[in-house]
Amino acid sequence: MYSISRSALGQADLIAVIILIATTIVVGVGFLGLVYPNIADLTYQNELRMTLYNEQSLLVLFKEYENSTHVCTGFLRIDPGSVSYAVVYIEGGKVNNSIISFPLPQGGAQGLLSSPRRIYCLINGEYYPCTEQIDNVVYIPNELVESYIAMGKPGLICVVKGNTSGRLLFFYTVGLDLYQIGEVVMYA
Amino acid sequence: MPRISRRLRGQSEVIGGLIAITALIISMGFVLTNLGKLSSLSVTGISRRTLFETERSYELMDAAFSENVCYIRNTGNLPLTIIRLWAGNEPIDILPNLYPALTIQPGGNKSIEEIKSLLNIEKIDYLVTSRGNVFQVESMCKQVQAQYNVFYYYYEVIGGGFFASEHILNSTRITHGMEHGYVYVDIERHGPRAVIYNDSNIWYCSSMINKSIIQTQNIRTDADDNGISELIITNSEVCVVGRGYTEWSAKNFNGALTFVFRDLINVSYYPDILNVYFKVVINITGGGTAQQVAVLPSVVLYNEYITLRTPATVTTGGSRINVAAIFGTAIFPVKAFSQELPSGVYNLNITISISGTSIGIGGVRLEYIAVVGADYSTSWIFG
């Protein structure tokens, strides 16, 4: 009969388990390496969506003033911060940013025209490329951002009344892309 | 055959299992932490917005009038800070160093004159608060001015727009004949009725047919005891000098009364919106068990070219037993009608429909009307 020393007892099982775990780790890392880019993209999309929902929640829009020639909307970020929004005015299905003005700070400020790379609109709670042809947007002036949005005060944006009603869309910047986070209907 | 001690059996499986479970828990914890961070971001935003909107809805303001000065009062339960106001068509921004001076604590008030003086401006149309609420201060002040100011001199109001019932009928208007404005009441199933009222101890009468100064009447002029005389509906169709009048009343009344103001409203520009404020006092008779009564007012603004009709919202407040005070507001969003209201003289009808389980009416009186956005007819004065 053969005899096995006590020190050798169970060693085979332990070695088998270690090999098993090592194999699992190697296979797992290899699998992660294959799927990581997709997971990273999914994670990014999820993070982006959550950020945009958060920005939608923080932006408050309200109709502030109207006379025979102008309609003015107040906009307020609940959580003060130096966030620069972009706005687009769509009238009768067409973009008409030339009638947008910023009366404050006193004396008025000029918005900056820009052409974004990609622009996404909110349709039924999801983001899609905008159906309207939006070639340029107007950025809220820095003076307004620093004196109002960053201070938790409502800013002011006015449009000239036309013959048809229009919509004022607010966008949030992510890199070079714009995502819609608010909309107010301005009746002409 | 090799023998393995019982004490050493299964050790490797246990060790392997512990390692695997530990690795699993660590990886699950990592994933859950990331997920939790993402979802809390959006939940935080939603809860902040909910809190903000709740605070915004609790921000309330109303106006009060005292000694010819209009005060704005914070009737909410949160401090209210004015950060911007509109005067004419201009937004006037308020600097942060003035915020403490323009913060009204719950229950506190501030006069419009004080605000104008602080900012060195002449008028205020709207106030904007830090939570984005907009209050139409000018309209609010005019409304309370109509309600409380017995001695209001409407002739001196620039861009006028309102008159108290105290001044609906006065000697200047009465003497200018039928081509100028007049007032009467049309009662369903009863027909048109003359109205009488007392102004500075002179009694006046106006009907669909004629107008005149009449002799002193033995009728209580203030049904709700607030110090303001009311316009009284009579049982007569015409005004007769030297006659004693009785107040119109009815048992088991279900129907409509219309206060007709003919050629009394002058629109001299193109308003986007007209507001009509009025107060009617109803004397209910009969006693017995409590009756359920519905009061449905509507207001019509019209002339030979255009007619605008709108329902009115009402609030009720009783001043003494059997007397119901009805406060009504009617809004004509002229711009929303997609038509302009041309300049000219207009008529105004306020119809009060009373329905219920056959109540007795001791009298229906008009205490005031205020028309903001239009002006009283100048034909009253210069015709």
Side-chain angles (χ1 to χ4, degrees):
Chain A
M1 267 174 111
Y2 296 100
S3 62
I4 300 174
S5 74
R6 282 188 180 178
S7 62
L9 290 173
Q11 263 186 359
D13 292 334
L14 187 59
I15 291 168
V17 167
I18 289 170
I19 292 170
L20 183 63
I21 289 171
T23 307
T24 305
I25 290 171
V26 167
V27 169
V29 168
F31 178 73
L32 272 176
L34 279 172
V35 303
Y36 185 74
N38 290 332
I39 292 174
D41 187 53
L42 277 172
T43 307
Y44 168 77
Q45 292 293 333
N46 208 27
E47 278 189 9
L48 177 64
R49 184 174 290 123
M50 291 297 119
T51 302
L52 293 172
Y53 287 163
N54 190 49
E55 289 299 324
Q56 285 178 40
S57 303
L58 295 180
L59 180 65
V60 176
L61 302 172
F62 57 94
K63 197 166 175 183
E64 184 168 320
Y65 183 77
E66 181 177 1
N67 63 10
S68 54
T69 57
H70 287 78
V71 178
C72 295
T73 289
F75 60 97
L76 168 69
R77 191 168 195 271
I78 298 172
D79 188 11
S82 291
V83 175
S84 180
Y85 300 110
V87 291
V88 170
Y89 187 65
I90 296 177
E91 188 178 33
K94 292 183 181 171
V95 173
N96 186 4
N97 291 331
S98 60
I99 58 171
I100 294 175
S101 63
F102 302 94
L104 298 171
Q106 228 65 42
Q110 287 292 325
L112 179 68
L113 267 179
S114 174
S115 298
R117 187 174 67 174
R118 281 190 294 255
I119 184 161
Y120 297 95
C121 289
L122 205 54
I123 302 171
N124 293 330
E126 295 294 331
Y127 283 97
Y128 300 96
C130 296
T131 52
E132 294 89 357
Q133 182 78 18
I134 300 176
D135 295 324
N136 59 78
V137 300
V138 178
Y139 278 91
I140 307 279
N142 282 334
E143 304 98 301
L144 228 149
V145 173
E146 296 307 321
S147 302
Y148 292 85
I149 302 172
M151 306 294 286
K153 274 173 64 172
L156 191 66
I157 179 169
C158 298
V159 299
V160 178
K161 280 185 174 179
N163 295 322
T164 59
S165 65
R167 301 178 294 138
L168 190 64
L169 309 183
F170 281 74
F171 293 87
Y172 179 73
T173 306
V174 178
L176 292 174
D177 301 337
L178 292 175
Y179 291 84
Q180 183 190 348
I181 56 168
E183 176 178 334
V184 62
V185 179
M186 319 278 259
Y187 281 101
Chain B
M1 280 186 81
R3 289 165 60 194
I4 302 173
S5 153
R6 280 188 183 175
R7 284 170 50 203
L8 297 175
R9 277 186 191 164
Q11 260 187 358
S12 55
E13 283 84 0
V14 170
I15 293 168
L18 283 173
I19 293 170
I21 289 170
T22 304
L24 184 65
I25 290 171
I26 289 170
S27 57
M28 279 175 61
F30 178 73
V31 171
L32 284 173
T33 304
N34 271 305
L35 282 175
K37 225 170 30 175
L38 290 175
S39 66
S40 75
L41 183 62
S42 85
V43 166
T44 302
I46 291 169
S47 64
R48 288 192 69 169
R49 180 60 180 265
T50 305
L51 177 65
F52 173 82
E53 292 295 344
T54 305
E55 287 182 356
R56 198 178 177 200
S57 67
Y58 285 161
E59 207 173 57
L60 301 169
M61 181 194 287
D62 74 2
F65 216 79
S66 176
E67 296 179 0
N68 226 25
V69 175
C70 183
Y71 291 82
I72 52 171
R73 302 186 303 187
N74 181 354
T75 53
N77 53 12
L78 292 167
L80 181 156
T81 302
I82 302 166
I83 56 95
R84 181 155 62 241
L85 49 89
W86 287 81
N89 291 320
E90 294 298 318
I92 296 172
D93 212 33
I94 293 170
L95 296 173
N97 63 321
L98 288 176
Y99 287 171
L102 288 169
T103 295
I104 308 175
Q105 298 297 325
N109 62 67
K110 207 161 279 291
S111 77
I112 294 297
E113 295 306 317
E114 188 184 338
I115 297 173
K116 285 198 266 188
S117 169
L118 186 67
L119 301 171
N120 197 24
I121 53 177
E122 292 186 1
K123 64 176 288 192
I124 300 173
D125 293 327
Y126 302 94
L127 293 176
V128 184
T129 69
S130 58
R131 295 186 180 92
N133 282 316
V134 181
F135 293 100
Q136 298 185 40
V137 172
E138 196 205 10
S139 288
M140 287 162 64
C141 282
K142 280 189 176 172
Q143 186 179 359
V144 292
Q145 194 174 18
Q147 188 173 352
Y148 293 111
N149 194 349
V150 177
F151 302 105
Y152 176 70
Y153 299 103
Y154 71 97
Y155 293 106
E156 297 170 8
V157 172
I158 298 170
F162 103 97
F163 47 92
S165 61
E166 300 271 326
H167 305 285
I168 289 174
L169 306 170
N170 62 33
S171 58
T172 308
R173 295 171 181 173
I174 294 291
T175 57
H176 286 292
M178 284 299 295
E179 68 271 17
H180 299 289
Y182 54 97
V183 184
Y184 68 94
V185 176
D186 195 7
I187 304 175
E188 189 178 345
R189 296 190 304 276
H190 290 244
R193 291 287 183 269
V195 294
I196 60 174
Y197 104 163
N198 183 297
D199 180 15
S200 305
N201 295 321
I202 299 175
W203 282 87
Y204 300 91
C205 176
S206 174
S207 72
M208 198 170 73
I209 311 296
N210 61 348
K211 296 184 290 192
S212 65
I213 295 174
I214 57 175
Q215 69 185 40
T216 301
Q217 302 294 309
N218 187 23
I219 298 178
R220 184 193 171 98
T221 59
D222 185 7
D224 59 347
D225 292 325
N226 68 342
I228 300 178
S229 297
E230 296 122 11
L231 194 75
I232 301 166
I233 305 173
T234 71
N235 280 311
S236 176
E237 288 185 28
V238 298
C239 295
V240 178
V241 177
R243 177 181 175 173
Y245 292 85
T246 54
E247 185 169 10
W248 173 84
S249 62
K251 295 178 184 176
N252 303 324
F253 183 77
N254 265 279
L257 295 95
T258 301
F259 290 88
V260 180
F261 299 88
R262 292 296 303 245
D263 298 334
L264 264 176
I265 310 297
N266 184 36
V267 178
S268 54
Y269 56 98
Y270 293 95
D272 289 342
I273 189 167
L274 278 173
N275 293 297
V276 177
Y277 306 102
F278 59 91
K279 178 183 173 186
V280 169
V281 178
I282 303 177
N283 189 6
I284 301 172
T285 61
T289 56
Q291 304 285 341
Q292 202 164 19
V293 178
V295 177
L296 300 167
S298 65
V299 182
V300 183
L301 188 72
Y302 62 101
N303 61 16
E304 58 183 326
Y305 304 110
I306 190 169
T307 299
L308 298 176
R309 177 188 298 275
T310 188
T313 56
V314 291
T315 57
T316 58
S319 57
R320 59 188 184 91
I321 296 173
N322 292 339
V323 175
I326 311 291
F327 297 87
T329 306
I331 299 172
F332 292 92
V334 182
K335 267 301 180 194
F337 290 154
S338 299
Q339 58 188 186
E340 289 175 338
L341 199 67
S343 302
V345 177
Y346 286 78
N347 313 302
L348 184 72
N349 286 7
I350 300 176
T351 300
I352 311 287
S353 295
I354 299 174
S355 60
T357 53
S358 301
I359 61 168
I361 300 286
V364 178
R365 300 180 174 195
L366 179 72
E367 185 166 299
Y368 70 78
I369 72 169
V371 182
V372 180
D375 200 349
Y376 59 88
S377 173
T378 56
S379 63
W380 278 113
I381 309 166
F382 303 113

